[in-house]
Amino acid sequence: MADVHCAKVHRLYLKVYTYCCYAVFALLFFLNREMISTHEWVVIVTMAGITALFELRSIVLPSGEELTMVTPLLFATGVCYGNFAVFCTCALMMLILVSYRPKNVWIVLFNCTMYSLAANCALQVYQWTGGMIGGRLMLANALPYLSFALVYFAANVVLVSTYLAIRNQAGLLETMRSLIDKQSVLIYFIMMGFGLMITILLQAEGLTGVVIFSLVLVALGASFRRYYEMYDHFRSLSVKDELTGLYNHRYFQETLQKMVMEQERVSLLLLDLDHFKVYNDTFGHPQGDELLREISKLLRSSIPASAVACRYGGEEFAVILPAMTAQEAFVIADQVRSCIASHMFNGMEAMPRGCITVSAGLSTYPEMAENKEQLILLADQALYQVKYSTRNRVQLYVPVMD
Amino acid sequence: MLVDSLVIGLLVAKLRGGSFESLLQVSVKGIWWVILSFVMQYTSIFFFPTWLPVIIPLSYACLLWFGWLNRTQPAFLLVFAGLLLNVLVMVCNHGRMPVDVAVASQMAPQDLPALLAGESGKHVAMSAHTHLNLLGDIFYLHAPYPHHTVLSLGDLLLSIGVFLFLQAVMGTRRTAVAGGVVHG
């Protein structure tokens, strides 16, 4: 009850915070309003179009980071045409993105508001430090440019982390720290280099230069994305089993080896599908494959997020359970077993017991085994104790001497 | 500009692996409204210029109706919005589209006197007396673009709409590849 109340309060805080941001945006828009010439309007529309395009088709790096040119474009617009032009650009970008993806209306609204508020703070400091709106780009103005970059970054981090801290009910400083990692700061400052470049282009060549430069970047981004997708696909193929989508045998061996090498506590669960040969002989291999796929799905859904599910081979599966004692692992193993035993599978009536079941063997490191091979061997021995007796059961390894 | 976006759209879609066959399979409703609209516009500009304030809104109404009939087609709402903006600015300026004088003097200096005298087809020189100037012909496309042309915001939306429509209906050769690695 208290939890529900707490969640409600947090949702309320989040709403208050976002509406405050929108109100500040609207107020600043109103206070900064001025007549715009047709030339400025052409620049604003073009910049809004390009920023929206980059928001929709950002350049994805193999690390998963996304490069968007929104900040550099807002920097160039602000430095050349001032605050109101930045507000108009953000508002138009908002309009374009919302009409393109109406479902994302709140995300778009919030992001665009953040962009414009951060740019507004940065432009204020830019002017305080001697930067001129519409002035030529000069090396002597390095301080204002640097202050723009720093203040924009700081304002953006503060605004976004406040939102995240309220949403995730986490500490503000912690959230800020999680946003500022070395790589993202580096990428941000490289992007600000692009900002200087766009400003030079805008001043020397006008919009044509900016449009051509941006289109080239979008085209490059599109072709890179294709390669990154391929890279991702091949990476996935190298560690995954194609039929079931679980990790493959190689990945299983590597992961387990790494954990044992680092002397981390780990439990290993080996599962074997009972009477799979009967199923295959009765319904054929394609339906057998389908059964393996369904079992894998159930397996994935019934283990914790930290666990690693692999296809060991044939109808055998392995689950690595990091940092788990034998007793904790046993509870999870039994959940997996009963989940499969109670599931309605196609053709289960043809099986010897009228249902699909698995047998499972369990061992744990470092209590039972000294190395990876022994860990696997012991889980395998436990599994075969079940296989040769009742099946549909989980067996923790017990030495025969006992 | 409509022709430009058609040509660029077809070229890009083809380069992306689209097919002309799928374009032929698209059923667009009421294409006659477009033809009627063009006939009305050009007859009026060349033969009955005094009727322009009436004919231009009428011809645009035909185009708008065409856009609305096909609103479920991909990107047609963009086409519709573009047309609507153009109609709005032309209705406010007695059937004529205001054009930026600075742009017009760069693009076609020989036509400038006629434009300033108010005799240049459906265009009128932009001034403090024309309305909604921000929706007028102010976007000047020039080199390296293959030819000089001037666009309004409505034209821009319409062209993007046509481009996206062609990309959507002609399809691409690309096949989806499997996604990233998922733990579990």
Side-chain angles (χ1 to χ4, degrees), chain A residues 171-237:
Chain A
L172 184 62
L173 283 177
E174 256 171 71
T175 318
M176 274 187 195
R177 233 173 275 142
S178 69
L179 284 181
I180 312 172
D181 67 286
K182 219 191 251 171
Q183 199 171 355
S184 58
V185 173
L186 185 71
I187 289 176
Y188 170 76
F189 280 97
I190 293 173
M191 296 312 281
M192 286 317 285
F194 274 117
L196 287 178
M197 211 152 115
I198 293 173
T199 312
I200 295 172
L201 270 174
L202 192 60
Q203 289 177 344
E205 281 298 320
L207 272 175
T208 317
V210 180
V211 172
I212 293 174
F213 176 71
S214 306
L215 287 181
V216 169
L217 272 186
V218 169
L220 272 179
S223 58
F224 282 179
R225 189 178 302 122
R226 185 89 183 104
Y227 285 107
Y228 294 153
E229 277 172 9
M230 268 164 68
Y231 164 81
D232 215 27
H233 180 58
F234 289 132
R235 191 173 60 124
S236 153
L237 282 182

Side-chain angles (χ1 to χ4, degrees), chain A residues 52-104:
Chain A
L53 188 63
F54 274 112
E55 278 288 277
L56 295 170
R57 296 270 179 274
S58 53
I59 303 163
V60 185
L61 299 181
S63 59
E65 301 259 5
E66 286 192 4
L67 298 186
T68 125
M69 294 290 288
V70 175
T71 311
L73 286 161
L74 289 185
F75 170 77
T77 314
V79 166
C80 296
Y81 296 94
N83 251 331
F84 191 57
V86 171
F87 277 120
C88 290
T89 307
C90 287
L92 257 182
M93 171 171 70
M94 206 185 279
L95 203 69
I96 298 171
L97 292 174
V98 167
S99 24
Y100 196 74
R101 289 192 182 144
K103 276 184 194 159
N104 295 352

Side-chain angles (χ1 to χ4, degrees), chain A residues 200-367:
Chain A
I200 295 172
L201 270 174
L202 192 60
Q203 289 177 344
E205 281 298 320
L207 272 175
T208 317
V210 180
V211 172
I212 293 174
F213 176 71
S214 306
L215 287 181
V216 169
L217 272 186
V218 169
L220 272 179
S223 58
F224 282 179
R225 189 178 302 122
R226 185 89 183 104
Y227 285 107
Y228 294 153
E229 277 172 9
M230 268 164 68
Y231 164 81
D232 215 27
H233 180 58
F234 289 132
R235 191 173 60 124
S236 153
L237 282 182
S238 72
V239 294
K240 288 219 153 178
D241 169 59
E242 221 173 355
L243 177 74
T244 57
L246 300 179
Y247 285 102
N248 60 20
H249 188 94
R250 190 177 54 195
Y251 185 83
F252 162 72
Q253 294 282 357
E254 276 174 12
T255 312
L256 201 58
Q257 179 71 44
K258 215 168 105 192
M259 285 180 175
V260 172
M261 291 273 277
E262 286 167 10
Q263 304 201 318
E264 286 175 33
R265 176 197 291 277
V266 58
S267 287
L268 172 66
L269 174 66
L270 282 184
L271 296 147
D272 189 282
L273 198 50
D274 297 328
H275 304 295
F276 186 57
K277 192 178 178 317
V278 177
Y279 192 89
N280 256 343
D281 291 347
T282 317
F283 301 105
H285 284 90
Q287 199 169 326
D289 287 350
E290 197 47 54
L291 179 67
L292 289 176
R293 250 185 239 125
E294 215 170 332
I295 297 267
S296 309
K297 221 159 121 192
L298 283 177
L299 183 60
R300 259 198 303 250
S301 63
S302 49
I303 57 172
S306 63
V308 182
C310 314
R311 186 171 176 209
Y312 193 80
E315 71 270 32
E316 284 197 345
F317 301 93
V319 183
I320 302 172
L321 297 157
M324 269 193 209
T325 61
Q327 283 69 33
E328 288 165 339
F330 188 89
V331 175
I332 290 173
D334 205 50
Q335 272 171 11
V336 173
R337 182 205 58 77
S338 68
C339 173
I340 292 172
S342 58
H343 190 79
M344 304 296 281
F345 291 95
N346 257 345
M348 56 191 261
E349 60 288 343
M351 298 301 278
R353 285 192 197 162
C355 60
I356 304 281
T357 56
V358 287
S359 302
L362 193 62
S363 63
T364 185
Y365 174 88
E367 286 84 354

Side-chain angles (χ1 to χ4, degrees), chain A residues 36-39 41-43 45-46 99-100 205 208 212 222 225-226 229-230 232-233 235-236 239-240 245-247 251 300 303-305 307-310, chain B residues 16 77-78 100 103 126 133-145 151 153 156-157 160 164 173-184:
Chain A
I36 42 175
S37 65
T38 48
H39 168 68
W41 176 241
V42 170
V43 173
V45 171
T46 312
S99 24
Y100 196 74
E205 281 298 320
T208 317
I212 293 174
R225 189 178 302 122
R226 185 89 183 104
E229 277 172 9
M230 268 164 68
D232 215 27
H233 180 58
R235 191 173 60 124
S236 153
V239 294
K240 288 219 153 178
L246 300 179
Y247 285 102
Y251 185 83
R300 259 198 303 250
I303 57 172
V308 182
C310 314
Chain B
R16 292 176 69 210
L77 276 180
L78 214 55
D100 195 328
V103 170
M126 192 176 282
N133 288 345
L134 297 186
L135 298 182
D137 276 348
I138 50 174
F139 293 86
Y140 180 36
L141 281 190
H142 53 88
Y145 192 72
L151 303 173
L153 184 60
L156 211 60
L157 292 185
I160 295 171
L164 291 179
R173 196 192 302 121
R174 283 182 58 164
T175 50
V177 287
V181 174
V182 184
H183 275 274

